[in-house]
Amino acid sequence: VAASFRYASPMLGIGRLHLAADLFVRLHNLDNQVGALGGDSGLRGYPSSAFFGAHELQLHAEYRTQGLELLTNLFGLAVFWDAGDAFDDLEFGDLAVKNSVGIGLRWLIPQFNRSVIRLDWGFPLQSSRPFPGSVSLAFEQAF
């Protein structure tokens, strides 16, 4: 069972606020499949696949600036907050939401592709070592 929410605000100053929430529940998980969170799969401040569980909850808020055109390329910035967890107990007994915050750079080459290239630097908030955080490079927006 999956439930998702997405929202993009009208222009707020020089950019837009983007919100997202995802809940993924594996009912009757006979194959014992698990999901992973961390890095580019949500929770951008944590290492890739830092958290595993049968069920996943993710929350995202990101403010993305409007693209600035330089030599036909578009560049933008983003600040973000991610929260979520991968957990096994369907009654949410072992749900321990982790948070991360960070900044990102967006680059679009319209002549090459319509997918944004993103570089994000996130910092975990529930960690004894939040610095230097985690850097991820990927195609397309995080959500």
Side-chain angles (χ1 to χ4, degrees), residues 4-15:
S4 294
F5 166 80
R6 300 281 188 269
Y7 174 76
S9 75
M11 288 297 290
L12 298 170
I14 60 170

Side-chain angles (χ1 to χ4, degrees), residues 25 44-45 47-48 89 129:
V25 176
R44 288 171 273 183
S48 183
D89 184 1
R129 298 187 55 181

Side-chain angles (χ1 to χ4, degrees), residues 12 46 48 60 69 72 83 86 99 110 115 131 143:
L12 298 170
Y46 291 88
S48 183
H60 305 281
E69 185 176 338
T72 71
N99 296 274
S115 294
F131 192 80
F143 59 93

Side-chain angles (χ1 to χ4, degrees), residues 30-86:
L30 301 176
D31 295 331
N32 294 320
Q33 294 178 336
V34 296
L37 289 181
D40 62 352
S41 64
L43 293 176
R44 288 171 273 183
Y46 291 88
S48 183
S49 301
F51 307 103
F52 292 93
H55 318 293
E56 301 168 43
L57 172 67
Q58 293 187 52
L59 306 166
H60 305 281
E62 187 170 287
Y63 183 78
R64 300 175 189 159
T65 65
Q66 191 172 17
L68 174 66
E69 185 176 338
L70 295 172
L71 300 173
T72 71
N73 291 275
L74 293 173
F75 293 91
L77 299 174
V79 294
F80 61 86
W81 166 76
D82 295 332
D85 193 18

